[in-house]
Amino acid sequence: MNVEVRLFATLREYLPAGSGRTSAQIEMQEGTRICDLLDRLGIPAAIAHLVLVDGRYEADRTRELQDGCAVSIWPPIGGG
Amino acid sequence: MISAYAGKLLRVDLTSRQVRSESIDPDAARRFIGGRGLATKMLSEAVHPQVDPLSPANTLILATGPLTGTSAMCGGRFMAVTKGPLTGTIASSNCGGTFGPELKYAGYDMVVLEGAASEPLLMVIEDGKVELHPAGELWGLNVHETEDRLHGELGRDFQLVSIGPAGEKLVRFAAIINDKGRAAGRSGVGAVMGSKKLKAIAVRGTGGLSVADPPGFRAACLDSLAKLEAGEITGQGLQSFGTAILVNIINESGVFPTRNFRQGQFESAEKISGETIAEEILVRPRACVACPIACGRVTEVRGGPYRSRGDGPEYETVWALGADTGVEDLGAVTKANYVCNELGMDTITAGATVACAMELFEEGVLSEKDVGRKLKFGDAEAVVDMMTKIGNREGFGDVLAEGSARVAERYGRPELFMGVKKQEMPAYDPRGVFGMGVQYATSNRGGCHVRGYMIAPEILGVPQKLDAHTPQGKAETNIAFQNLTAALDSIGVCLFVTFSIGAPELAAMLKTATGFDYDADEFMQVGERIWNLEKLFNMKAGLTRKDDTLPRRLLSEPMPAGPAKGLTVPLDEMLTQYYRLRGWDEQGAPTQEKLAALGL
């Protein structure tokens, strides 16, 4: 299955080579969980502070991803 | 004298041009601290809440806090407190830069500006010596020209606040600007300064400040500094990407107001994001006095029609001048920001007012003849052009200079004003972040995000994640944030420290600096006292429960698409809870018991 990964702020350095400014399409096995995706990209779980799946906050890192979904990940950020 | 305070305020009657120095009242300082709190107390006693904000009967107070100018990190702030010409409510606007600390080194915690001059004036303060000079030659200059001229004549050692043409011409959302790009931006405090015909204040001070417990203060400051530096947000994130790092998370969460809040997602958000700013136009980060965070942006648009260099844009600005007007051209957004800095006006209300006018234009309410040009969403050149026209009150800019509440009312479509108490909301659509809805509705200065930043828990997960789509628990958290922020705005330290520290650390610095025996609970209670005093001012100004509301669009038009699709703000439920937890009656008035408990 294909997942769109979007990485922001300092996490962009974990994007695979050849990605866009903030996003990449990644092919994963069926049943891949959020934590598996983090492992695949080499992102330490502690700095993956905010994970949105199709725009909705996801606290459970063992949740399985679906084909065609978009996973967006941020380190701790602030502003306003 | 109280430790950490300069100990004096400067009272200036601009009508008679009399200046006198008065002592800071230690009892009032203990109960209201300084900055926003102490200035609100003084304004409440000096100004009838129903005065015309732009008349000589209004007073404008520039107030530092006890930590301003000390070695406390981010202690470079001052507040401008007055009755606001945009809202008719209490107005208090926070500003960084270099002016606040310098004022204290010159011997004053506050400048209290009363009356109005008959001709433009410049005030020069140098180590306790105060002079008022005719400033006819400065009148009409923009902020940058004014600062360059004054630095040339007085020397670079002087720190400055000034107004631009927007303040002179009483644009209702004119700002007071410090260091060319730091603004007491919201609520029109610059128009009040303009109504008093005070163009600028130049200050130089060589004095020092003493704290009550130097070793204790040093330890408290180092503790807070270590937490700031260790925090991901305050230690690295804001410096690398600025506040516009929020664009993508707010947009992906479906609460990035687009085209006057008609949508909650902007298809071109990434083009105006903090990441894009860092790659394309950032020259370097910029910090205020004693600030290790450095969220400010020095930027340069290097080519094209908007080529120029200056300060900004920050998050709220890229939203107001970008997504809210449907503009995706970062160069144009940045240029429009520079124009606001130079003419001296609030980017949020300026952009949101143009967005409101764009909707009126697209609805056929405004014509090309009315505006003098086409004014469609997405027209970058129109946004830049209208900034110049608003700041100078030229052509249709003269209409927009009144703010979008009055514009929408004038053209018979008041429901298209996207704000509260006549002040425009900033860059978060509360249909998908409910706590921000009750915060906007209850903010004492109208639509505002820095009275209680509910985005932190509801979207950013700081200090812990709350479900953004439920009303449960929002009133309680909002009250705590409002009280914390009111106290914080009174000590002279930047709001951004609260991404890493809270009331215990702030109270520890305040206690060791002043010698007053504050703890975290009393710190929060001072914030509650200030909030209630602001509320009393607004009630005497004529505001009632009906003013604690949101635009009809947010209450009855469901979000059309995205993660918040189908939602509206369940305000009544949160507002009823909010009044109850505040100890207010059903009409939102503080009860006698509550006022007695707070000593008001």
Side-chain angles (χ1 to χ4, degrees), chain A residues 6-10 12 20-23 47 49-50 52 54-57 70-72 74-80, chain B residues 232-233 236 238 241 245-246 248-249 252-253 270 275-276 279-280 314 316 428 449 453 459-461 465 496 499 563:
Chain A
R6 300 174 190 158
L7 303 181
F8 298 98
T10 49
R12 289 184 302 158
R21 177 177 273 149
T22 56
S23 68
I47 61 170
H49 177 64
L50 293 167
L52 302 191
D54 294 330
R56 286 180 176 76
Y57 176 75
V71 183
S72 303
W74 285 264
I77 58 168
Chain B
E232 280 261 358
I233 300 170
Q236 182 189 1
L238 280 166
F241 297 105
I245 192 63
L246 292 185
N248 284 306
I249 180 84
E252 292 225 3
S253 299
E270 187 164 313
E275 289 91 340
T276 303
E279 284 180 15
E280 295 188 357
E314 51 93 39
E316 309 296 340
Y428 318 89
H449 59 297
Y453 194 58
I459 300 289
L460 306 178
K465 186 74 172 67
F496 281 176
F499 282 117

Side-chain angles (χ1 to χ4, degrees), chain B residues 459-531:
Chain B
I459 300 289
L460 306 178
V462 179
Q464 65 269 325
K465 186 74 172 67
L466 299 179
D467 181 354
H469 294 178
T470 177
Q472 269 81 50
K474 297 304 167 60
E476 184 178 353
T477 308
N478 183 32
I479 289 168
F481 276 34
Q482 288 177 339
N483 292 349
L484 174 69
T485 308
L488 181 80
D489 282 345
S490 304
I491 66 175
V493 165
C494 176
L495 176 61
F496 281 176
V497 302
T498 56
F499 282 117
S500 294
I501 63 174
E505 291 87 353
L506 296 166
M509 287 191 289
L510 189 60
K511 174 184 173 177
T512 51
T514 63
F516 293 140
D517 191 25
Y518 292 106
D519 59 16
D521 289 342
E522 187 183 351
F523 188 77
M524 295 296 284
Q525 191 191 42
V526 173
E528 185 183 11
R529 183 179 295 128
I530 295 164
W531 191 268

Side-chain angles (χ1 to χ4, degrees), chain A residues 39-67:
Chain A
D39 283 346
R40 159 96 173 258
L41 295 167
I43 301 173
I47 61 170
H49 177 64
L50 293 167
V51 178
L52 302 191
V53 179
D54 294 330
R56 286 180 176 76
Y57 176 75
E58 184 54 67
D60 180 7
R61 302 295 163 86
T62 64
R63 188 186 135 173
E64 288 187 11
L65 298 170
Q66 304 300 314
D67 183 37

Side-chain angles (χ1 to χ4, degrees), chain B residues 112 414 484 569:
Chain B
V112 181
L484 174 69
V569 184

Side-chain angles (χ1 to χ4, degrees), chain B residues 268-576:
Chain B
S268 301
E270 187 164 313
K271 293 182 180 175
I272 56 172
S273 70
E275 289 91 340
T276 303
I277 289 171
E279 284 180 15
E280 295 188 357
I281 61 170
L282 180 66
V283 176
R284 60 180 170 81
R286 186 181 184 198
C288 298
V289 170
C291 173
I293 298 174
C295 71
R297 308 286 89 181
V298 176
T299 53
E300 183 172 4
V301 181
R302 295 183 178 89
Y306 306 116
R307 211 164 120 167
S308 48
R309 183 182 169 113
D311 283 89
E314 51 93 39
Y315 170 69
E316 309 296 340
T317 301
V318 296
W319 164 75
L321 301 170
D324 202 33
T325 57
V327 170
E328 62 172 35
D329 181 337
L330 180 61
V333 169
T334 305
K335 175 65 178 177
N337 186 167
Y338 296 163
V339 172
C340 289
N341 291 348
E342 288 160 12
L343 299 180
M345 56 188 183
D346 171 25
T347 56
I348 297 176
T349 288
T353 298
V354 172
C356 175
M358 284 174 158
E359 184 160 6
L360 289 166
F361 188 89
E362 296 209 347
E363 291 274 310
V365 178
L366 282 175
S367 68
E368 203 170 330
K369 189 170 166 229
D370 293 321
V371 182
R373 60 171 303 143
K374 286 192 171 67
L375 196 62
K376 291 187 169 178
F377 284 116
D379 186 340
E381 194 270 331
V383 171
V384 177
D385 182 40
M386 291 317 299
M387 290 305 114
T388 304
K389 287 191 164 71
I390 293 169
N392 290 306
R393 280 195 181 265
E394 291 171 9
F396 193 65
D398 190 35
V399 174
L400 299 187
E402 295 293 298
S404 55
R406 290 169 175 85
V407 172
E409 182 79 39
R410 172 180 176 144
Y411 291 99
R413 297 291 299 275
E415 75 280 9
L416 297 185
F417 159 60
M418 291 297 122
V420 177
K421 301 181 178 76
K422 295 191 171 68
Q423 177 160 276
E424 294 72 8
M425 290 176 294
Y428 318 89
D429 191 319
R431 284 175 290 188
V433 54
F434 289 175
M436 210 61 193
V438 71
Q439 149 55 24
Y440 285 148
T442 58
S443 160
N444 285 329
R445 70 167 188 177
C448 172
H449 59 297
V450 290
R451 286 297 170 272
Y453 194 58
M454 291 296 291
I455 296 302
E458 294 190 278
I459 300 289
L460 306 178
V462 179
Q464 65 269 325
K465 186 74 172 67
L466 299 179
D467 181 354
H469 294 178
T470 177
Q472 269 81 50
K474 297 304 167 60
E476 184 178 353
T477 308
N478 183 32
I479 289 168
F481 276 34
Q482 288 177 339
N483 292 349
L484 174 69
T485 308
L488 181 80
D489 282 345
S490 304
I491 66 175
V493 165
C494 176
L495 176 61
F496 281 176
V497 302
T498 56
F499 282 117
S500 294
I501 63 174
E505 291 87 353
L506 296 166
M509 287 191 289
L510 189 60
K511 174 184 173 177
T512 51
T514 63
F516 293 140
D517 191 25
Y518 292 106
D519 59 16
D521 289 342
E522 187 183 351
F523 188 77
M524 295 296 284
Q525 191 191 42
V526 173
E528 185 183 11
R529 183 179 295 128
I530 295 164
W531 191 268
N532 276 267
L533 187 60
E534 291 176 337
K535 177 73 177 181
L536 291 177
F537 185 95
N538 287 351
M539 287 169 56
K540 289 173 191 163
L543 280 82
T544 65
R545 176 173 177 144
K546 72 175 173 45
D547 297 295
D548 288 351
T549 190
L550 294 170
R552 191 168 79 197
R553 173 168 288 169
L554 308 184
L555 297 174
S556 61
E557 292 179 26
M559 183 70 90
K565 183 177 179 179
L567 298 178
T568 56
V569 184
L571 182 62
D572 278 348
E573 179 183 345
M574 292 188 288
L575 194 58
T576 299

